[in-house]
């Protein structure tokens, strides 16, 4: 979690940023020769966020690296779905290149944010986990770029009689030194984490290799195989190409964005077409494996939940190897040696991995106050999915659910920069988005800022996530083209933003 803080007599800064996204801010400041001060608060011991926290076997992105990387710094690796360690290295290298690291305060947790209209500034209560000291800083502007889930605990339902199990139970978010070599493993879940774990646990090239792995799912998920490598960047920026690496990167990034958006829009307007295509490809992948295709035929339409991508069919190859299988059933209870299913079957296990999802959390768990009144983020709408209704001088970063998370964050950061530059130019001290105007009354919708995504982790936390409205600029489009126009090119001042000097 982090912030971009803006000078005062105590230590006052412009605001707070996530260490990865602050790179964009630093780059823009450097280009404009800006002298504004900012500070990044990072609760953890190192940067990287998700890519520093998760260490389970095979950890990787679930969207393509070209759109997952920063727009201003080309991703030069050819891997389509990048490994977690490579993503962290990319973030760290970028932070060093743009001298962001000197602004990061590690093991500093933001516990409370309080806005004062009289002083027109934020006061942040911060705990230094190294010294134990709790202190305050003031800021003109705050950006919450903490992601949307709790880093301390994942979602972990309690299973009947689980205390009787004699083996090891581990959640992927807390994977440490779990030894699975020659062990029977059951992975509970059917999301991206489970899809990544299955082939990694039986990988012949790994130092450890499970004897057998079962993916136990309550219901199926759509899965699509994508190429593991993409060498187009090397080809387009090669010796005989007129394009530089940066130009080739931009071109290929645009290609991938348009392809993602095309698939998503087709799934929205012609779901039967995408469903038939996905089912056909899965049937082809499973041919000869003995695995029933029904395990990969969900009852819902594509993109009502995130579609899982696997590189080079690695999940299906694991199923063909006979060291892995899939079971669709409900859990009755745990036994001493495994899991008893509602169907009466029993799964033997030495290790049970609960890939049961995330526990959502806003602002890294910090409490939010405006003039002494506590703000319920889940009861507010977002303006352009960046600013909170009725909360001054604060932005909260949200990415895409139907494409790379970073793709939207990139544009949101550029919008925040445009907003701050506009305020500085016009001499404004505060900005506040207000849904109600003299012309209209915006209606709050039940959908959250993450859209109509019906994934379990979103449904469980609907009360925590900010909502969206029924019209522009409160409605979330999840459309890269319209978002790009809205965030990068539309004028800053409009009827919903209220500025004061």
């Amino acid at each position: 979690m982090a912030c971009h803080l803006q000078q005062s007599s105590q230590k006052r800064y412009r605001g707070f940023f996530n260490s990865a996204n602050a790179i964009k801010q630093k780059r823009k400041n450097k280009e404009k020769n800006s002298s504004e001060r900012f500070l990044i608060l990072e609760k953890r011991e190192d940067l990287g966020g998700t890519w520093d926290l998760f260490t389970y076997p095979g950890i990787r992105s679930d969207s393509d690296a070209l759109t997952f990387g920063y727009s201003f710094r080309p991703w030069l690796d050819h891997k389509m779905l990048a490994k977690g360690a490579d993503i962290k290295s990319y973030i760290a290298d970028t932070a060093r290149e743009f001298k962001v690291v000197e602004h990061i305060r590690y093991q500093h947790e933001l516990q409370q944010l309080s806005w004062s209209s009289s002083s027109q500034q934020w006061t942040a209560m911060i705990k230094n986990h190294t010294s134990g000291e709790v202190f305050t800083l003031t800021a003109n502007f705050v950006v919450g770029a903490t992601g949307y889930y709790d880093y301390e605990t994942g979602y972990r339902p309690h299973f009947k009689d689980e205390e009787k199990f004699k083996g090891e139970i581990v959640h992927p978010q807390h994977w440490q030194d779990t030894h699975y070599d020659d062990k029977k493993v059951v992975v509970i879940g059917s999301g991206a984490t489970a899809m990544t774990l299955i082939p990694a646990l039986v990988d012949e090239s790994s130092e450890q290799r499970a004897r057998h792995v079962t993916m136990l799912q309550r219901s199926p998920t759509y899965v699509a195989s994508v190429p593991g490598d993409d060498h187009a960047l090397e080809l387009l920026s090669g010796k005989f190409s007129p394009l530089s690496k940066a130009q080739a990167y931009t071109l290929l990034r645009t290609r991938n964005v348009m392809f993602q958006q095309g698939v998503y829009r087709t799934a929205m307007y012609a779901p039967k077409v995408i469903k038939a295509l996905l089912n056909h490809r899965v049937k082809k992948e499973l041919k000869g494996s003995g695995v029933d295709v029904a395990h990969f035929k969900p009852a819902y339409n594509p993109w009502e939940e995130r579609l899982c991508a696997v590189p080079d069919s690695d999940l299906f190859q694991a199923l063909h190897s006979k060291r892995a299988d899939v079971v669709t059933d409900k859990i009755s209870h745990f036994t001493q040696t495994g899991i008893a299913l509602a169907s009466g079957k029993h799964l033997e296990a030495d290790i049970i991995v609960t890939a049961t999802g995330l526990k959502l959390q806003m602002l890294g768990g910090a409490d939010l106050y405006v003039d002494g009144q506590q703000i319920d983020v889940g009861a507010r709408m977002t303006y352009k999915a960046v600013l909170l209704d009725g909360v001054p001088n604060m932005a909260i970063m949200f990415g895409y659910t139907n494409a790379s998370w970073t793709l939207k964050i990139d544009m949101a950061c550029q919008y925040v920069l445009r907003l701050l530059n506009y305020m500085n130019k016009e001499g404004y001290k505060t900005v506040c988005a207000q849904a109600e105007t003299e012309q209209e009354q915006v209606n709050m919708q039940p959908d959250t800022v993450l859209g109509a995504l019906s994934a379990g982790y979103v449904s469980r936390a609907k009360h925590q996530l900010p909502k969206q409205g029924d019209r522009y600029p409160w409605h979330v489009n999840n459309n890269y083209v319209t978002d790009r126009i809205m965030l990068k090119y539309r004028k800053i001042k409009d009827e919903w933003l209220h500025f004061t000097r």
Side-chain angles (χ1 to χ4, degrees):
M1 140 118 209
C3 315
H4 175 256
L5 303 172
Q6 207 163 295
Q7 292 164 18
S8 125
S9 55
Q10 267 194 34
K11 269 189 176 178
R12 189 167 92 200
Y13 298 83
R14 181 69 178 180
F16 301 103
F17 275 117
N18 169 275
S19 51
N21 297 316
I23 294 167
K24 301 179 182 69
Q25 170 76 15
K26 181 68 173 179
R27 172 178 176 266
K28 295 291 184 179
N29 283 350
K30 183 177 179 181
E31 289 176 351
K32 298 176 186 299
N33 297 315
S34 172
S35 60
E36 290 185 318
R37 298 171 58 194
F38 68 94
L39 181 67
I40 302 164
L41 300 179
E42 175 57 66
K43 182 180 177 181
R44 296 177 57 75
E45 296 179 358
D46 201 357
L47 55 71
T50 294
W51 312 109
D52 178 62
L53 174 67
F54 285 92
T55 59
Y56 61 80
I59 174 67
R60 55 170 167 76
S61 70
D62 63 349
S63 54
D64 73 284
L66 288 176
T67 59
F68 199 70
Y70 300 122
S71 61
F72 59 86
R73 188 173 186 268
W75 176 274
L76 300 179
D77 192 272
H78 57 81
K79 285 294 180 186
M80 177 75 85
L81 303 181
K83 295 180 179 179
D86 294 336
I87 297 173
K88 183 182 174 181
S89 295
Y90 171 78
I91 293 171
D93 290 345
T94 309
R96 283 190 291 269
E97 180 179 336
F98 291 97
K99 296 182 171 54
V100 171
V101 289
E102 63 198 50
H103 298 274
I104 304 174
R105 302 293 180 266
Y106 292 110
Q107 293 189 287
H108 279 61
E109 178 188 1
L110 178 66
Q111 296 184 325
Q112 182 177 296
L113 275 170
S114 300
W115 170 263
S116 169
S117 294
S118 60
S119 62
Q120 294 185 311
Q121 67 180 19
W122 287 100
T123 298
M125 181 185 295
I126 301 159
K127 181 175 182 179
N128 182 334
H129 284 278
T130 302
S131 65
E133 176 191 10
V134 176
F135 60 98
T136 61
L137 292 177
T138 57
N140 287 347
F141 201 97
V142 173
V143 177
T146 58
Y148 58 91
Y149 69 90
D150 187 345
Y151 276 46
E152 297 299 323
T153 57
Y155 175 65
R156 170 69 166 82
H158 181 273
F159 298 100
K160 184 181 178 181
D161 296 335
E162 66 175 65
E163 63 279 355
K164 293 181 180 179
F165 180 60
K166 299 298 184 182
E168 183 179 0
I169 301 175
V170 58
H171 191 287
Q173 190 166 322
H174 304 288
W175 191 287
Q176 298 298 330
D177 299 319
T178 301
H179 298 283
Y180 58 89
D181 191 47
D182 200 33
K183 300 286 182 68
K184 289 177 289 185
V185 183
V186 173
V187 179
I188 302 173
S190 59
T193 301
M195 302 286 180
T196 302
L197 272 167
I198 303 304
L201 292 174
V202 297
D203 185 2
E204 292 183 8
S205 64
S206 175
E207 293 181 1
Q208 299 187 62
R209 191 184 188 199
R211 188 190 315 171
H212 189 271
V213 180
T214 298
M215 184 171 79
L216 173 57
Q217 59 182 16
R218 185 171 52 186
S219 58
T221 299
Y222 287 108
V223 184
S225 178
V226 298
D229 298 285
D230 183 358
H231 295 282
L233 184 64
E234 298 165 25
L235 294 173
L236 286 180
S237 60
K239 184 176 180 181
F240 301 105
S241 172
L243 300 178
S244 67
K245 282 197 182 298
Q247 291 171 327
Y249 177 68
T250 300
L251 180 63
L252 292 173
R253 201 167 189 262
T254 303
R255 175 203 67 180
N256 287 9
V257 169
M258 293 300 103
F259 177 77
Q260 290 168 357
Q261 292 292 298
V263 171
Y264 179 75
R265 295 298 153 192
T266 304
M268 292 297 100
Y269 295 106
K272 290 182 180 179
V273 173
I274 299 298
K275 181 184 288 189
L277 178 61
L278 290 170
N279 289 341
H280 172 74
R281 292 183 64 179
V282 165
K283 187 176 181 179
K284 188 176 179 180
E285 293 278 7
L286 292 175
K287 188 176 181 180
S289 69
V291 177
D292 193 338
V293 71
H295 294 304
F296 296 94
K297 295 180 73 173
Y300 57 86
N301 286 326
W303 278 115
E304 287 181 3
E305 295 188 21
R306 277 188 74 98
L307 188 152
C308 286
V310 297
D312 290 333
S313 305
D314 64 355
L315 173 68
F316 302 111
Q317 289 178 16
L319 296 175
H320 276 278
S321 75
K322 306 302 181 185
R323 278 184 174 261
D325 67 350
V326 182
V327 173
T328 304
D329 209 332
K330 293 182 179 180
I331 295 172
S332 171
H333 60 277
F334 281 28
T335 68
Q336 291 187 1
T337 59
I339 300 175
L341 303 176
S343 64
K345 294 181 180 179
H346 186 268
L347 299 179
E348 295 287 328
D350 300 304
I351 300 171
I352 296 174
V353 182
T354 55
T356 45
L358 304 168
K359 178 183 174 185
L360 269 60
Q361 182 184 70
M362 294 305 304
L363 291 173
D367 293 323
L368 182 65
Y369 292 86
V370 171
D371 293 329
Q373 180 181 357
Q374 187 164 11
I375 300 299
D376 179 4
V377 175
R380 302 284 171 135
M381 290 186 290
T382 60
Y383 169 89
K384 297 186 177 180
V386 179
L387 307 179
L388 271 181
D389 176 30
V391 179
N393 287 23
M394 168 178 272
I396 299 182
M397 300 288 105
F398 287 100
Y400 284 124
T401 57
N402 65 336
S404 294
W405 184 263
T406 323
L407 197 62
K408 177 70 173 292
I409 299 293
D410 204 330
M411 292 188 292
C413 286
Q414 291 177 55
Y415 173 78
V416 171
L417 288 169
R418 290 179 62 219
L419 176 62
L420 295 176
N421 288 332
Y422 175 81
M423 292 173 68
N424 289 339
K425 179 182 177 182
E426 301 296 330
Y428 289 124
K429 191 77 177 287
T430 70
V431 60
C432 187
Q434 298 285 355
E436 293 186 32
T437 69
E438 293 181 2
Q439 292 77 24
E440 64 179 7
Q441 168 69 50
V442 179
N443 297 312
M444 184 183 292
Q445 300 297 294
D447 288 343
T448 71
V449 70
L450 295 184
L453 200 67
S454 60
Y457 66 91
V458 175
S459 299
R460 288 190 299 269
K462 276 193 171 184
H463 64 287
Q464 298 180 51
L465 291 166
K467 305 301 184 292
Q468 56 177 295
D470 61 349
R471 68 201 70 178
Y472 173 89
W474 308 92
H475 180 68
V476 179
N477 294 310
N478 276 317
N479 184 310
Y480 177 80
V481 175
T482 57
D483 285 341
R484 184 178 175 85
I485 294 170
M486 176 179 71
L487 295 171
K488 294 191 68 174
Y489 301 109
R490 280 187 180 269
K491 65 179 182 179
I492 292 295
K493 192 168 186 178
D494 59 28
E495 61 188 290
W496 300 281
L497 290 188
H498 296 264
F499 295 91
T500 66
R501 290 186 173 87

